[in-house]
Short mmCIF file of all heavy atoms in Angstrom, two decimals:
data_model
loop_
_atom_site.label_atom_id
_atom_site.label_comp_id
_atom_site.label_asym_id
_atom_site.label_seq_id
_atom_site.Cartn_x
_atom_site.Cartn_y
_atom_site.Cartn_z
N PHE A 1 0.83 -1.21 0.00
CA PHE A 1 0.00 0.00 0.00
C PHE A 1 0.87 1.26 0.00
O PHE A 1 0.34 2.37 0.01
CB PHE A 1 -0.92 0.01 1.23
CG PHE A 1 -2.04 -0.98 1.16
CD1 PHE A 1 -1.81 -2.32 1.41
CD2 PHE A 1 -3.32 -0.58 0.83
CE1 PHE A 1 -2.83 -3.25 1.34
CE2 PHE A 1 -4.37 -1.50 0.77
CZ PHE A 1 -4.11 -2.85 1.02
N THR A 2 2.18 1.12 0.00
CA THR A 2 3.06 2.27 0.12
C THR A 2 3.32 2.95 -1.22
O THR A 2 3.05 2.38 -2.30
CB THR A 2 4.41 1.85 0.72
OG1 THR A 2 5.05 0.93 -0.18
CG2 THR A 2 4.22 1.18 2.08
N ASN A 3 3.84 4.17 -1.15
CA ASN A 3 4.18 4.92 -2.36
C ASN A 3 5.21 4.16 -3.20
O ASN A 3 5.11 4.12 -4.43
CB ASN A 3 4.76 6.29 -1.98
CG ASN A 3 3.79 7.13 -1.19
OD1 ASN A 3 2.60 7.09 -1.42
ND2 ASN A 3 4.29 7.89 -0.24
N TYR A 4 6.18 3.56 -2.53
CA TYR A 4 7.24 2.84 -3.23
C TYR A 4 6.66 1.72 -4.10
O TYR A 4 7.04 1.55 -5.26
CB TYR A 4 8.22 2.29 -2.19
CG TYR A 4 9.35 1.44 -2.75
CD1 TYR A 4 9.87 1.66 -4.03
CD2 TYR A 4 9.91 0.42 -1.99
CE1 TYR A 4 10.91 0.87 -4.53
CE2 TYR A 4 10.95 -0.36 -2.47
CZ TYR A 4 11.43 -0.13 -3.75
OH TYR A 4 12.45 -0.91 -4.25
N PHE A 5 5.74 0.96 -3.55
CA PHE A 5 5.16 -0.15 -4.30
C PHE A 5 4.21 0.36 -5.39
O PHE A 5 4.30 -0.07 -6.55
CB PHE A 5 4.40 -1.08 -3.36
CG PHE A 5 3.74 -2.24 -4.05
CD1 PHE A 5 4.44 -3.38 -4.36
CD2 PHE A 5 2.39 -2.18 -4.39
CE1 PHE A 5 3.84 -4.46 -5.01
CE2 PHE A 5 1.77 -3.25 -5.03
CZ PHE A 5 2.50 -4.39 -5.34
N LEU A 6 3.31 1.27 -5.04
CA LEU A 6 2.26 1.69 -5.99
C LEU A 6 2.82 2.48 -7.16
O LEU A 6 2.21 2.50 -8.24
CB LEU A 6 1.20 2.51 -5.25
CG LEU A 6 0.40 1.75 -4.18
CD1 LEU A 6 -0.53 2.71 -3.45
CD2 LEU A 6 -0.39 0.60 -4.79
N LEU A 7 3.96 3.15 -6.98
CA LEU A 7 4.54 3.94 -8.07
C LEU A 7 5.57 3.15 -8.88
O LEU A 7 6.24 3.71 -9.74
CB LEU A 7 5.19 5.21 -7.51
CG LEU A 7 4.21 6.24 -6.91
CD1 LEU A 7 4.96 7.41 -6.32
CD2 LEU A 7 3.21 6.70 -7.96
N THR A 8 5.69 1.86 -8.60
CA THR A 8 6.57 1.00 -9.38
C THR A 8 5.78 0.36 -10.51
O THR A 8 4.80 -0.37 -10.27
CB THR A 8 7.20 -0.09 -8.50
OG1 THR A 8 7.94 0.54 -7.44
CG2 THR A 8 8.13 -0.97 -9.30
N LYS A 9 6.15 0.67 -11.74
CA LYS A 9 5.50 0.11 -12.94
C LYS A 9 3.97 0.32 -12.84
O LYS A 9 3.52 1.43 -12.64
CB LYS A 9 5.85 -1.37 -13.10
CG LYS A 9 7.35 -1.63 -13.26
CD LYS A 9 7.64 -3.12 -13.41
CE LYS A 9 9.14 -3.36 -13.53
NZ LYS A 9 9.47 -4.81 -13.65
N ASN A 10 3.21 -0.78 -13.02
CA ASN A 10 1.75 -0.68 -12.98
C ASN A 10 1.17 -1.19 -11.66
O ASN A 10 0.02 -1.64 -11.61
CB ASN A 10 1.14 -1.50 -14.14
CG ASN A 10 1.50 -0.92 -15.50
OD1 ASN A 10 1.63 0.29 -15.65
ND2 ASN A 10 1.67 -1.78 -16.49
N ASN A 11 1.95 -1.10 -10.60
CA ASN A 11 1.51 -1.68 -9.33
C ASN A 11 0.28 -1.00 -8.74
O ASN A 11 -0.39 -1.58 -7.87
CB ASN A 11 2.65 -1.63 -8.30
CG ASN A 11 3.77 -2.59 -8.66
OD1 ASN A 11 3.69 -3.33 -9.64
ND2 ASN A 11 4.83 -2.57 -7.87
N TYR A 12 -0.02 0.21 -9.18
CA TYR A 12 -1.21 0.89 -8.67
C TYR A 12 -2.46 0.07 -8.96
O TYR A 12 -3.49 0.18 -8.28
CB TYR A 12 -1.33 2.29 -9.29
CG TYR A 12 -1.67 2.28 -10.75
CD1 TYR A 12 -2.98 2.40 -11.18
CD2 TYR A 12 -0.69 2.17 -11.73
CE1 TYR A 12 -3.31 2.38 -12.52
CE2 TYR A 12 -1.00 2.16 -13.07
CZ TYR A 12 -2.31 2.26 -13.47
OH TYR A 12 -2.64 2.26 -14.80
N ARG A 13 -2.40 -0.80 -9.97
CA ARG A 13 -3.56 -1.61 -10.33
C ARG A 13 -3.89 -2.64 -9.25
O ARG A 13 -5.03 -3.11 -9.16
CB ARG A 13 -3.30 -2.34 -11.66
CG ARG A 13 -3.21 -1.39 -12.86
CD ARG A 13 -2.85 -2.16 -14.11
NE ARG A 13 -2.74 -1.27 -15.26
CZ ARG A 13 -2.28 -1.64 -16.45
NH1 ARG A 13 -1.86 -2.89 -16.63
NH2 ARG A 13 -2.22 -0.78 -17.45
N TYR A 14 -2.90 -2.97 -8.44
CA TYR A 14 -3.17 -3.90 -7.34
C TYR A 14 -4.16 -3.28 -6.36
O TYR A 14 -5.14 -3.93 -5.94
CB TYR A 14 -1.87 -4.25 -6.63
CG TYR A 14 -2.08 -5.04 -5.35
CD1 TYR A 14 -2.51 -6.36 -5.39
CD2 TYR A 14 -1.85 -4.46 -4.10
CE1 TYR A 14 -2.70 -7.09 -4.21
CE2 TYR A 14 -2.05 -5.18 -2.93
CZ TYR A 14 -2.48 -6.49 -2.99
OH TYR A 14 -2.68 -7.19 -1.83
N LEU A 15 -3.92 -2.02 -5.99
CA LEU A 15 -4.83 -1.36 -5.05
C LEU A 15 -6.19 -1.13 -5.68
O LEU A 15 -7.23 -1.29 -5.03
CB LEU A 15 -4.23 -0.04 -4.56
CG LEU A 15 -5.07 0.74 -3.54
CD1 LEU A 15 -5.41 -0.13 -2.34
CD2 LEU A 15 -4.35 2.00 -3.10
N THR A 16 -6.22 -0.75 -6.96
CA THR A 16 -7.52 -0.55 -7.61
C THR A 16 -8.30 -1.87 -7.65
O THR A 16 -9.53 -1.88 -7.57
CB THR A 16 -7.33 -0.02 -9.04
OG1 THR A 16 -6.60 -0.97 -9.82
CG2 THR A 16 -6.58 1.30 -9.02
N GLY A 17 -7.58 -2.98 -7.79
CA GLY A 17 -8.25 -4.28 -7.78
C GLY A 17 -8.88 -4.58 -6.43
O GLY A 17 -10.02 -5.06 -6.36
N LEU A 18 -8.14 -4.29 -5.34
CA LEU A 18 -8.72 -4.52 -4.01
C LEU A 18 -9.90 -3.60 -3.74
O LEU A 18 -10.90 -4.00 -3.13
CB LEU A 18 -7.63 -4.31 -2.94
CG LEU A 18 -6.50 -5.33 -2.88
CD1 LEU A 18 -5.56 -4.99 -1.74
CD2 LEU A 18 -7.04 -6.74 -2.72
N LEU A 19 -9.80 -2.34 -4.22
CA LEU A 19 -10.88 -1.39 -4.00
C LEU A 19 -12.15 -1.81 -4.73
O LEU A 19 -13.26 -1.40 -4.36
CB LEU A 19 -10.45 0.01 -4.44
CG LEU A 19 -9.34 0.67 -3.62
CD1 LEU A 19 -8.97 2.02 -4.21
CD2 LEU A 19 -9.77 0.83 -2.17
N ALA A 20 -12.01 -2.62 -5.79
CA ALA A 20 -13.18 -3.07 -6.53
C ALA A 20 -14.07 -3.96 -5.68
O ALA A 20 -15.26 -4.14 -5.99
CB ALA A 20 -12.74 -3.82 -7.79
N TYR A 21 -13.54 -4.51 -4.58
CA TYR A 21 -14.33 -5.38 -3.71
C TYR A 21 -15.03 -4.59 -2.60
O TYR A 21 -15.75 -5.19 -1.80
CB TYR A 21 -13.43 -6.44 -3.10
CG TYR A 21 -12.95 -7.47 -4.10
CD1 TYR A 21 -11.71 -7.35 -4.71
CD2 TYR A 21 -13.75 -8.56 -4.45
CE1 TYR A 21 -11.27 -8.28 -5.63
CE2 TYR A 21 -13.33 -9.49 -5.38
CZ TYR A 21 -12.08 -9.35 -5.97
OH TYR A 21 -11.66 -10.28 -6.89
N LEU A 22 -14.78 -3.30 -2.54
CA LEU A 22 -15.50 -2.47 -1.57
C LEU A 22 -16.92 -2.22 -2.06
O LEU A 22 -17.18 -2.24 -3.26
CB LEU A 22 -14.77 -1.14 -1.37
CG LEU A 22 -13.37 -1.20 -0.76
CD1 LEU A 22 -12.77 0.20 -0.67
CD2 LEU A 22 -13.41 -1.84 0.63
N PRO A 23 -17.85 -1.97 -1.16
CA PRO A 23 -19.24 -1.73 -1.58
C PRO A 23 -19.35 -0.49 -2.46
O PRO A 23 -18.71 0.53 -2.19
CB PRO A 23 -19.99 -1.57 -0.26
CG PRO A 23 -18.94 -1.23 0.75
CD PRO A 23 -17.70 -1.93 0.31
N VAL A 24 -20.16 -0.59 -3.50
CA VAL A 24 -20.32 0.53 -4.45
C VAL A 24 -21.04 1.70 -3.80
O VAL A 24 -20.75 2.86 -4.08
CB VAL A 24 -21.10 0.05 -5.70
CG1 VAL A 24 -21.27 1.19 -6.70
CG2 VAL A 24 -20.41 -1.13 -6.32
N ASN A 25 -21.96 1.42 -2.90
CA ASN A 25 -22.80 2.46 -2.31
C ASN A 25 -22.27 2.94 -0.96
O ASN A 25 -23.04 3.35 -0.09
CB ASN A 25 -24.22 1.95 -2.16
CG ASN A 25 -24.27 0.63 -1.39
OD1 ASN A 25 -23.24 0.08 -1.04
ND2 ASN A 25 -25.48 0.14 -1.12
N ALA A 26 -20.96 2.88 -0.75
CA ALA A 26 -20.38 3.33 0.53
C ALA A 26 -20.64 4.82 0.73
O ALA A 26 -20.63 5.61 -0.22
CB ALA A 26 -18.89 3.05 0.55
N THR A 27 -20.89 5.21 1.98
CA THR A 27 -21.20 6.61 2.29
C THR A 27 -20.02 7.34 2.94
O THR A 27 -19.80 8.51 2.70
CB THR A 27 -22.40 6.71 3.24
OG1 THR A 27 -22.13 5.93 4.42
CG2 THR A 27 -23.65 6.16 2.56
N ASP A 28 -19.26 6.61 3.76
CA ASP A 28 -18.13 7.24 4.47
C ASP A 28 -16.96 6.27 4.56
O ASP A 28 -17.15 5.05 4.67
CB ASP A 28 -18.53 7.65 5.90
CG ASP A 28 -19.56 8.77 5.92
OD1 ASP A 28 -19.17 9.92 5.67
OD2 ASP A 28 -20.74 8.47 6.16
N ILE A 29 -15.75 6.82 4.52
CA ILE A 29 -14.53 6.05 4.76
C ILE A 29 -13.79 6.67 5.93
O ILE A 29 -13.49 7.87 5.92
CB ILE A 29 -13.61 6.01 3.52
CG1 ILE A 29 -14.31 5.30 2.35
CG2 ILE A 29 -12.31 5.31 3.84
CD1 ILE A 29 -13.46 5.27 1.09
N THR A 30 -13.53 5.89 6.93
CA THR A 30 -12.74 6.36 8.08
C THR A 30 -11.37 5.70 8.01
O THR A 30 -11.27 4.47 8.00
CB THR A 30 -13.42 6.01 9.41
OG1 THR A 30 -14.73 6.59 9.44
CG2 THR A 30 -12.60 6.54 10.58
N TRP A 31 -10.33 6.53 7.98
CA TRP A 31 -8.97 6.01 7.87
C TRP A 31 -8.31 6.06 9.24
O TRP A 31 -8.23 7.10 9.88
CB TRP A 31 -8.16 6.84 6.88
CG TRP A 31 -6.90 6.13 6.44
CD1 TRP A 31 -5.72 6.09 7.10
CD2 TRP A 31 -6.74 5.34 5.27
NE1 TRP A 31 -4.81 5.33 6.42
CE2 TRP A 31 -5.41 4.85 5.27
CE3 TRP A 31 -7.57 5.00 4.20
CZ2 TRP A 31 -4.89 4.04 4.27
CZ3 TRP A 31 -7.06 4.20 3.20
CH2 TRP A 31 -5.74 3.73 3.23
N ASP A 32 -7.86 4.91 9.68
CA ASP A 32 -7.29 4.80 11.02
C ASP A 32 -5.87 5.36 11.07
O ASP A 32 -5.05 5.08 10.21
CB ASP A 32 -7.28 3.34 11.45
CG ASP A 32 -6.68 3.17 12.83
OD1 ASP A 32 -7.42 3.32 13.81
OD2 ASP A 32 -5.47 2.90 12.92
N THR A 33 -5.58 6.17 12.10
CA THR A 33 -4.23 6.69 12.34
C THR A 33 -3.75 6.32 13.74
O THR A 33 -2.82 6.91 14.25
CB THR A 33 -4.19 8.22 12.18
OG1 THR A 33 -5.10 8.81 13.12
CG2 THR A 33 -4.57 8.63 10.77
N TYR A 34 -4.43 5.34 14.34
CA TYR A 34 -4.10 4.95 15.72
C TYR A 34 -3.22 3.71 15.76
O TYR A 34 -2.17 3.70 16.43
CB TYR A 34 -5.39 4.71 16.50
CG TYR A 34 -5.17 4.17 17.90
CD1 TYR A 34 -4.76 5.00 18.93
CD2 TYR A 34 -5.37 2.82 18.19
CE1 TYR A 34 -4.55 4.52 20.21
CE2 TYR A 34 -5.17 2.32 19.46
CZ TYR A 34 -4.75 3.17 20.48
OH TYR A 34 -4.55 2.68 21.74
N TYR A 35 -3.60 2.66 15.06
CA TYR A 35 -2.90 1.38 15.20
C TYR A 35 -1.53 1.38 14.54
O TYR A 35 -0.68 0.56 14.91
CB TYR A 35 -3.77 0.25 14.64
CG TYR A 35 -5.00 0.02 15.48
CD1 TYR A 35 -6.24 0.49 15.06
CD2 TYR A 35 -4.92 -0.63 16.70
CE1 TYR A 35 -7.37 0.30 15.84
CE2 TYR A 35 -6.04 -0.82 17.49
CZ TYR A 35 -7.28 -0.35 17.06
OH TYR A 35 -8.37 -0.52 17.84
N ASN A 36 -1.27 2.28 13.58
CA ASN A 36 0.06 2.31 12.98
C ASN A 36 1.10 2.91 13.93
O ASN A 36 2.30 2.89 13.63
CB ASN A 36 0.05 3.07 11.66
CG ASN A 36 -0.24 4.55 11.84
OD1 ASN A 36 -0.74 4.95 12.88
ND2 ASN A 36 0.07 5.35 10.85
N LYS A 37 0.64 3.44 15.08
CA LYS A 37 1.56 3.96 16.09
C LYS A 37 1.57 3.10 17.35
O LYS A 37 2.23 3.44 18.33
CB LYS A 37 1.16 5.40 16.46
CG LYS A 37 1.18 6.37 15.29
CD LYS A 37 0.70 7.73 15.73
CE LYS A 37 0.65 8.71 14.56
NZ LYS A 37 0.14 10.03 14.97
N LEU A 38 0.82 1.98 17.34
CA LEU A 38 0.69 1.14 18.52
C LEU A 38 1.59 -0.09 18.36
O LEU A 38 1.28 -0.98 17.59
CB LEU A 38 -0.77 0.71 18.70
CG LEU A 38 -1.13 0.04 20.02
CD1 LEU A 38 -1.01 1.03 21.17
CD2 LEU A 38 -2.55 -0.52 19.96
N PRO A 39 2.70 -0.16 19.09
CA PRO A 39 3.65 -1.26 18.89
C PRO A 39 3.26 -2.56 19.60
O PRO A 39 3.90 -3.58 19.39
CB PRO A 39 4.95 -0.70 19.47
CG PRO A 39 4.49 0.24 20.53
CD PRO A 39 3.20 0.84 20.03
N TYR A 40 2.25 -2.52 20.45
CA TYR A 40 1.84 -3.72 21.17
C TYR A 40 0.37 -3.59 21.56
O TYR A 40 -0.24 -2.54 21.39
CB TYR A 40 2.68 -3.94 22.43
CG TYR A 40 2.82 -2.71 23.29
CD1 TYR A 40 1.83 -2.33 24.18
CD2 TYR A 40 3.96 -1.89 23.19
CE1 TYR A 40 1.95 -1.19 24.95
CE2 TYR A 40 4.09 -0.75 23.94
CZ TYR A 40 3.08 -0.40 24.82
OH TYR A 40 3.20 0.73 25.57
N LYS A 41 -0.18 -4.67 22.07
CA LYS A 41 -1.59 -4.69 22.42
C LYS A 41 -1.86 -3.76 23.59
O LYS A 41 -1.15 -3.76 24.58
CB LYS A 41 -2.01 -6.13 22.77
CG LYS A 41 -3.52 -6.32 22.92
CD LYS A 41 -3.85 -7.78 23.04
CE LYS A 41 -5.36 -8.00 23.12
NZ LYS A 41 -5.69 -9.44 23.18
#
């Protein structure tokens, strides 16, 4: 999901492929900024 991977060749298509499985009628997206700073339970 990083810039390094997605900007290499056509790798951005990997993320677009995963996003295709999200619901079409989604109303809100909440992006978590808590767990990427939590090193343990």
Side-chain angles (χ1 to χ4, degrees):
F1 288 78
T2 63
N3 300 324
Y4 177 30
F5 179 83
L6 295 175
L7 293 177
T8 301
K9 299 180 182 179
N10 295 327
N11 290 358
Y12 69 95
R13 292 176 181 172
Y14 171 71
L15 181 55
T16 62
L18 291 182
L19 293 177
Y21 290 96
L22 296 178
V24 181
N25 54 356
T27 56
D28 293 284
I29 296 178
T30 302
W31 197 277
D32 179 85
T33 60
Y34 174 78
Y35 292 103
N36 67 342
K37 300 177 182 178
L38 191 67
Y40 48 82
K41 190 171 183 177

